[in-house]
């Protein structure tokens, strides 16, 4: 009985692999394993290439972090101080318009924005002008924290 269950599980996993492998021509087990190994090697090489390109192992600099994060720092922009805002959060409707509204509420202006969405998570990098002094920086942090935090149980999304 145990052997029958084990074989059934193995066959079920092979069936799953057959449905998700993109270039599978033959459907026998040896071909499925061969194609699986080829795909894993290809994905490993892709990840290695991304790590080389984007910071030696820190893919978080390209892709959204798995946990909600907010980082704000200043950098020099063409004669005017620019605040760089980086955050990751769950992807949600109206995220961009909510972010723009939050930045405008503290008298800031987004001069550049980059966004990556993957697996239900979003990472935004914003360059904001017009934030002067610690008070405005604290307000910006507060409004963005409120925007990116997960809704509490029972709240509408």
């Amino acid at each position: 009985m145990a052997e029958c269950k084990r074989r059934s599980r193995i066959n079920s996993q092979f069936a799953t692999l057959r449905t998700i492998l993109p270039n599978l021509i033959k459907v026998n087990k040896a071909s499925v394993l061969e194609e699986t190994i080829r795909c894993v090697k290809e994905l490993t090489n892709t990840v290695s290439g991304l790590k080389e390109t984007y910071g030696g192992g820190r893919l978080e600099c390209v892709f959204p972090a798995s946990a909600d994060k907010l980082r704000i720092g200043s950098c020099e922009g063409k004669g005017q101080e620019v605040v760089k805002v980086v955050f990751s959060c769950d992807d949600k409707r109206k995220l961009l318009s909510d972010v723009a509204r939050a930045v405008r509420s503290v008298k800031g202006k987004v001069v550049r924005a980059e966004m990556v969405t993957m697996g239900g998570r979003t990472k935004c990098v914003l360059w904001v002008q017009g934030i002067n002094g610690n008070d405005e920086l604290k307000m910006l942090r507060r409004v963005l924290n409120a925007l990116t935090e997960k809704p509490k149980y029972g709240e509408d999304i």
Side-chain angles (χ1 to χ4, degrees):
M1 189 67 137
E3 179 63 18
C4 186
K5 275 186 175 179
R6 187 184 73 80
R7 285 184 184 179
S8 176
R9 278 191 15 236
I10 290 171
N11 287 332
S12 172
Q13 297 304 319
F14 270 103
T16 301
L17 284 172
R18 284 184 191 102
T19 62
I20 63 173
L21 289 171
N23 299 322
L24 191 62
I25 296 167
K26 295 180 181 178
V27 292
N28 62 54
K29 289 180 180 179
S31 297
V32 170
L33 286 174
E34 185 178 332
E35 182 62 16
T36 302
I37 290 167
R38 189 196 66 74
C39 284
V40 168
K41 285 181 178 179
E42 184 179 315
L43 289 170
T44 302
N45 288 337
T46 301
V47 168
S48 295
L50 287 171
K51 283 181 179 179
E52 275 183 32
T53 304
Y54 295 105
R58 291 196 49 217
L59 286 181
E60 187 177 299
C61 65
V62 178
F63 299 115
S66 57
D68 291 353
K69 291 185 177 182
L70 172 64
R71 202 171 63 243
I72 299 177
S74 62
C75 55
E76 291 298 317
K78 303 173 184 169
Q80 189 173 7
E81 188 167 319
V82 176
V83 175
K84 184 177 179 183
V85 178
V86 180
F87 67 89
S88 292
C89 65
D90 287 338
D91 191 24
K92 51 186 157 188
R93 290 182 339 158
K94 299 182 181 179
L95 179 62
L96 269 170
S97 59
D98 290 346
V99 168
R101 192 176 308 110
V103 170
R104 281 194 310 268
S105 76
V106 295
K107 308 290 190 265
K109 176 183 174 188
V110 176
V111 292
R112 181 176 171 194
E114 296 176 1
M115 180 182 258
V116 176
T117 301
M118 184 172 167
R121 301 282 299 163
T122 298
K123 177 176 183 172
C124 289
V125 182
L126 309 171
W127 286 264
V128 180
Q129 286 181 339
I131 305 297
N132 301 311
N134 283 338
D135 290 340
E136 289 182 4
L137 208 55
K138 286 177 186 176
M139 279 197 310
L140 178 63
R141 180 178 299 279
R142 192 173 66 245
V143 295
L144 289 175
N145 267 329
L147 179 68
T148 59
E149 68 187 14
K150 292 183 181 1
K152 293 176 180 59
Y153 182 74
E155 283 185 24
D156 288 338
I157 296 176

